Amino acid sequence: MHKEKALILCENSFGKYLGKTANGLVRHSERFEIIGVIDSAHAGKMAHEVVEGAKEDIRVYSDLKTALEDASKPDFLIIGVATIGGMIPEEFRPVLIEAIKNNINIIAGLHEFLNDDPELSKLAKEHGVELIDIRKEPPLENMHQFSDLCKNLDTVRIPVLGTDSSIGKRTTAIELVKALNARGIKSVFVATGQTGLLQGAKFGVPLDSIQGDYMVGELEHAIIKAYEEEKPKVIVIEGQGSISHPAYVSGSRAIITASQPNGIVLQHAPGRKYRNYRKKLLNLPMPDLREEIDLIEIFSKAKVLGITINNESMSDDEVEDIMARYEDEFDLPACDILRHGCDKLVEQIKRIFPELN
Amino acid sequence: MHKEKALILCENSFGKYLGKTANGLVRHSERFEIIGVIDSAHAGKMAHEVVEGAKEDIRVYSDLKTALEDASKPDFLIIGVATIGGMIPEEFRPVLIEAIKNNINIIAGLHEFLNDDPELSKLAKEHGVELIDIRKEPPLENMHQFSDLCKNLDTVRIPVLGTDSSIGKRTTAIELVKALNARGIKSVFVATGQTGLLQGAKFGVPLDSIQGDYMVGELEHAIIKAYEEEKPKVIVIEGQGSISHPAYVSGSRAIITASQPNGIVLQHAPGRKYRNYRKKLLNLPMPDLREEIDLIEIFSKAKVLGITINNESMSDDEVEDIMARYEDEFDLPACDILRHGCDKLVEQIKRIFPELN
């Protein structure tokens, strides 16, 4: 399949929390061929020197001009930041204008829509350039109501939830799907956020852009569609936020009630002390792992089947220690899938669901 | 204060689940003087013969024509149904058209907007009539992010949650505010749904119309505004759905994390076997009261301080029996506030929060 070429705009955020869309795209992209990232703070480096697990041929540029001189011409400029509140950063505007003037299409996954911006949409029209807002809610008449459909599906449904936002849920989910498929267990990924959709997920919804009344029904519909079109043995659903997160209240719960899970993978960053959400301002403490597991199991009436670890702020030894401790304390497999792969998780899934063998 | 006159369109649903907006408005309305209800199924009756607790001077009419002949001319026609999915019922269209042609403004709290309907909005313009959609989300740049502000407010915050949707949370909340104010404890109501807003609540948001990322922040902002403008001793927040409801996942959680409650009132209908949501199709069982209390207390880290009873499908004796049973089993006051008033609840609140005396 021919992939369209895309450059990612991530000034000042690549490798960081707010750069999660860029960080995801340099790791995995089915729809686009990523030809570069713009972030002057890392200009001259390769993406994998900034983001662990990134592909090795992606260069980081100081600005759009330099990128266009060096790389082949992109079809798209992707806005690679996930700002809190979802506004387009004002300092991106001159770059977006420059891109449009260079006849490059722009794609964004923010709450603020490119197409609602009079200046950008006028300019785009003049240059015959497309502005794509992937986080736009479908029209009301196309949305679905919760219909209690997943519980009877003949497929194992496993959401990858987490103890915080931007902690690696999507990356783990995608790697788990790859690993299951590699073992001959047909599996499908269902995205619930803008990055997964930008990466080219065939199934999914921009969950946190959907009004409350339709969140569960829309996600349920995406899961049913994935089942009907692919007839997979396993559906892995990307988590959102965390079930205990005070600002992101609906993601995890919508994912649980929509999917009616058979088991849950929980992603955690033992080295993270405060939630990423408006960190310096609020200092919201990370949840206790045991309490988080309890909350998830009470709500979902399903069991957490494995713990996956985000190794940020941890040495290799610390990761090894914590894995051993969690395996002992929770009697569950624990692994850092970026370093160790998904073998332990796949073994556990095969053990719990013997019908997959 | 001069109230505008309003007629409520509730064909086929008055007194029922889907008629909740009408049912609420005939009980309590600060903004409008309700001059009648249209529902041919109850034509000729008075509203209080259909809806317990309704004001005694509201007549039910078979259609708009009859209402206009009998009652004084309304300023507004209010769409009094809360349809699942929030679409305008197609059979209402001729009535809306007739109303516009009679120069009556229309107000709706549905997800489908009157103003987005080309036929209605064209006709409204021709007749100089206003179409008001109260459930429209504010523009992105006016919405607020969660800021962890309520925990330090010098006011007692009490959400009225429930075990199902359309079970009496709003009615209980409003009656509780009236009762507290009558005892000299200054209290304010914060609405979270279209009916409360239509009733004229000074503070509130249409919570389930707001996209996930902004739900908590927007409600928190409404609570802070209520505090700053009124400096009440108690803020009572209307609940939405139920914390265990599979389709309405975000309401209760958003209300809990936004308000950071000091205590919670729980509304329950012991005679209800199945959730109202798409009842005949899905047969979702009602939650167990003990499990619901546990879920609420785990999530909110606050205590349920009283149980209020919706007496639907119950005899007076059954209500008395269940009250006694709950008081014994949960060691909490239980009352049917429509029949017994809020005395027990107020006493309990004064006992738990002695600073209110």
Side-chain angles (χ1 to χ4, degrees):
Chain A
M1 193 187 119
H2 171 73
K3 287 185 180 182
E4 292 167 306
K5 290 185 169 65
L7 191 61
I8 305 174
L9 175 58
C10 197
E11 181 60 25
N12 216 15
S13 297
F14 190 46
K16 294 194 218 168
Y17 169 51
L18 293 181
K20 64 184 277 190
T21 300
N23 307 342
L25 283 167
V26 296
R27 285 188 175 126
H28 176 83
S29 178
E30 293 175 50
R31 175 169 170 193
F32 299 106
E33 180 196 341
I34 305 300
I35 60 168
V37 175
I38 299 171
D39 182 354
S40 59
H42 296 289
K45 291 186 197 162
M46 299 303 285
H48 66 91
E49 296 174 74
V50 184
V51 171
E52 188 177 356
K55 290 196 190 120
E56 305 216 335
D57 59 349
I58 301 172
R59 204 170 284 280
V60 186
Y61 298 99
S62 59
D63 52 38
L64 179 62
K65 191 162 170 285
T66 319
L68 293 181
E69 281 164 10
D70 183 76
S72 57
K73 195 187 165 212
D75 304 299
F76 284 94
L77 180 72
I78 300 176
I79 297 185
V81 295
T83 55
I84 287 175
M87 306 299 278
I88 302 167
E90 202 42 46
E91 62 273 24
F92 281 17
R93 181 173 291 271
V95 191
L96 301 180
I97 290 171
E98 196 186 336
I100 295 172
K101 288 184 175 166
N102 278 281
N103 300 312
I104 300 167
N105 304 296
I106 301 179
I107 186 161
L110 296 171
H111 289 313
E112 190 182 22
F113 299 133
L114 296 166
N115 284 292
D116 289 349
D117 186 297
E119 186 186 9
L120 296 180
S121 57
K122 183 164 172 279
L123 200 65
K125 209 172 240 176
E126 287 168 18
H127 288 265
V129 152
E130 242 189 316
L131 304 179
I132 301 177
D133 292 299
I134 59 140
R135 218 174 184 181
K136 207 166 171 69
E137 189 181 57
L140 198 62
E141 63 270 22
N142 293 353
M143 291 208 287
H144 299 82
Q145 290 281 316
F146 170 68
S147 302
D148 203 21
L149 295 172
C150 280
K151 66 177 179 208
N152 297 322
L153 282 191
D154 181 25
T155 185
V156 172
R157 300 168 305 279
I158 304 177
V160 178
L161 304 182
T163 52
D164 196 14
S165 56
S166 200
I167 202 167
K169 297 179 283 286
R170 191 197 57 254
T171 300
T172 292
I174 289 171
E175 291 303 318
L176 177 58
V177 166
K178 285 182 192 166
L180 287 164
N181 280 314
R183 305 278 199 103
I185 301 170
K186 187 171 180 183
S187 301
V188 165
F189 171 66
V190 174
T192 57
Q194 69 275 26
T195 306
L197 295 171
L198 276 171
Q199 286 176 323
K202 191 172 167 190
F203 306 101
V205 287
L207 196 60
D208 65 4
S209 307
I210 296 175
Q211 54 188 311
D213 264 7
Y214 284 96
M215 291 177 80
V216 185
E218 277 293 281
L219 176 56
E220 180 184 62
H221 177 72
I223 295 169
I224 297 293
K225 190 159 175 266
Y227 175 73
E228 287 180 347
E229 291 188 16
E230 304 281 340
K231 294 280 176 339
K233 287 192 165 174
V234 179
I235 298 180
V236 178
I237 302 110
E238 178 190 8
Q240 285 298 324
S242 99
I243 196 162
S244 62
H245 201 298
Y248 302 132
V249 293
S250 27
S252 301
R253 286 242 21 228
I255 289 160
I256 285 170
T257 63
S259 65
Q260 308 201 37
N262 305 99
I264 288 159
V265 171
L266 182 58
Q267 175 93 4
H268 182 51
R272 193 180 289 191
K273 285 201 181 69
Y274 296 99
R275 292 189 190 272
N276 262 324
Y277 177 83
R278 304 177 82 187
K279 190 153 73 171
K280 283 167 198 160
L281 194 65
L282 301 181
N283 278 326
L284 299 169
M286 284 289 285
D288 173 77
L289 187 55
R290 162 56 65 202
E291 284 183 26
E292 190 82 2
I293 291 174
D294 287 348
L295 272 185
I296 289 170
E297 295 188 341
I298 287 168
F299 256 110
S300 67
K301 300 189 166 98
K303 289 282 173 195
V304 170
L305 56 78
I307 299 164
T308 51
I309 289 167
N310 173 330
N311 60 40
E312 66 180 36
S313 316
M314 296 177 84
S315 70
D316 287 1
D317 283 352
E318 285 171 332
V319 172
E320 293 296 327
D321 285 354
I322 206 100
M323 275 170 47
R325 217 190 80 201
Y326 287 168
E327 298 207 332
D328 184 52
E329 188 177 338
F330 299 104
D331 196 21
L332 289 172
C335 57
D336 172 355
I337 64 110
L338 282 181
R339 300 206 182 156
H340 312 126
C342 289
D343 285 357
K344 270 193 196 174
L345 221 46
V346 172
E347 285 314 310
Q348 170 81 338
I349 290 169
K350 287 172 71 172
R351 200 182 60 72
I352 297 177
F353 307 104
E355 67 272 25
L356 297 176
N357 293 308
Chain B
M1 192 187 120
H2 172 72
K3 287 186 181 183
E4 292 167 306
K5 291 186 168 66
L7 190 62
I8 305 174
L9 174 58
C10 196
E11 181 59 25
N12 216 14
S13 297
F14 189 47
K16 295 194 216 167
Y17 168 51
L18 293 181
K20 65 185 275 190
T21 300
N23 306 343
L25 283 166
V26 296
R27 284 187 177 127
H28 177 83
S29 178
E30 293 175 51
R31 175 170 170 191
F32 299 106
E33 180 197 340
I34 305 301
I35 59 168
V37 175
I38 299 172
D39 183 353
S40 58
H42 296 289
K45 290 185 196 163
M46 299 303 286
H48 67 91
E49 297 173 74
V50 184
V51 172
E52 188 177 356
K55 291 198 189 116
E56 306 218 333
D57 58 350
I58 301 172
R59 204 170 283 281
V60 186
Y61 297 99
S62 59
D63 52 38
L64 180 62
K65 191 163 171 286
T66 320
L68 293 181
E69 281 165 9
D70 183 76
S72 56
K73 196 190 163 209
D75 303 299
F76 284 93
L77 180 71
I78 300 176
I79 297 185
V81 295
T83 56
I84 287 175
M87 307 299 278
I88 303 167
E90 202 41 47
E91 61 274 24
F92 280 17
R93 181 174 292 272
V95 190
L96 302 180
I97 289 171
E98 197 186 335
I100 295 172
K101 287 183 176 167
N102 278 282
N103 301 312
I104 300 167
N105 304 296
I106 300 180
I107 186 161
L110 297 170
H111 288 314
E112 188 181 22
F113 299 133
L114 297 166
N115 285 292
D116 289 350
D117 186 297
E119 185 186 11
L120 296 179
S121 57
K122 183 164 172 280
L123 199 65
K125 209 173 242 176
E126 287 168 17
H127 288 266
V129 152
E130 242 189 317
L131 304 179
I132 301 177
D133 292 299
I134 59 140
R135 219 174 183 181
K136 207 167 171 70
E137 190 181 56
L140 197 62
E141 64 271 21
N142 292 354
M143 290 207 287
H144 298 82
Q145 290 281 317
F146 170 68
S147 302
D148 203 21
L149 295 172
C150 280
K151 67 177 178 207
N152 297 322
L153 282 191
D154 182 24
T155 185
V156 172
R157 301 168 304 281
I158 303 177
V160 178
L161 304 181
T163 52
D164 196 15
S165 56
S166 201
I167 201 167
K169 296 179 284 285
R170 190 196 59 253
T171 300
T172 292
I174 289 171
E175 292 303 319
L176 177 58
V177 167
K178 284 183 192 166
L180 287 164
N181 279 315
R183 306 278 200 103
I185 301 170
K186 187 172 180 184
S187 301
V188 166
F189 171 66
V190 174
T192 58
Q194 69 274 26
T195 307
L197 295 171
L198 276 170
Q199 286 177 323
K202 192 171 167 193
F203 306 100
V205 288
L207 196 61
D208 65 4
S209 308
I210 296 175
Q211 54 188 311
D213 263 7
Y214 284 96
M215 290 177 80
V216 185
E218 277 293 280
L219 176 56
E220 180 184 62
H221 177 71
I223 295 169
I224 297 293
K225 192 159 174 265
Y227 175 74
E228 288 179 345
E229 291 188 15
E230 305 281 340
K231 294 282 176 338
K233 288 191 165 177
V234 179
I235 298 180
V236 178
I237 302 110
E238 178 191 9
Q240 286 296 324
S242 99
I243 196 163
S244 62
H245 201 298
Y248 302 132
V249 293
S250 27
S252 301
R253 286 241 22 227
I255 289 159
I256 286 170
T257 64
S259 64
Q260 308 200 40
N262 305 99
I264 288 159
V265 171
L266 182 58
Q267 174 93 3
H268 183 51
R272 193 180 288 190
K273 285 202 181 68
Y274 297 99
R275 291 190 191 272
N276 261 325
Y277 178 82
R278 305 177 82 188
K279 191 152 74 172
K280 285 168 196 158
L281 194 65
L282 301 181
N283 278 325
L284 299 169
M286 284 288 284
D288 173 77
L289 187 54
R290 162 56 64 201
E291 283 183 28
E292 191 82 1
I293 291 174
D294 287 348
L295 272 185
I296 289 170
E297 295 188 342
I298 287 167
F299 255 111
S300 66
K301 300 190 166 95
K303 290 283 174 194
V304 170
L305 56 78
I307 298 164
T308 50
I309 289 168
N310 173 329
N311 60 39
E312 67 180 34
S313 315
M314 296 177 83
S315 69
D316 287 1
D317 283 352
E318 284 171 332
V319 172
E320 293 295 326
D321 285 353
I322 207 100
M323 275 170 46
R325 217 189 80 200
Y326 287 167
E327 298 206 333
D328 185 52
E329 188 177 340
F330 298 104
D331 196 22
L332 288 172
C335 57
D336 172 355
I337 64 111
L338 282 181
R339 300 207 182 157
H340 313 126
C342 290
D343 284 358
K344 271 193 196 174
L345 220 46
V346 172
E347 285 313 311
Q348 169 82 338
I349 289 169
K350 288 172 71 173
R351 200 182 59 72
I352 297 177
F353 308 103
E355 67 271 26
L356 297 175
N357 293 310

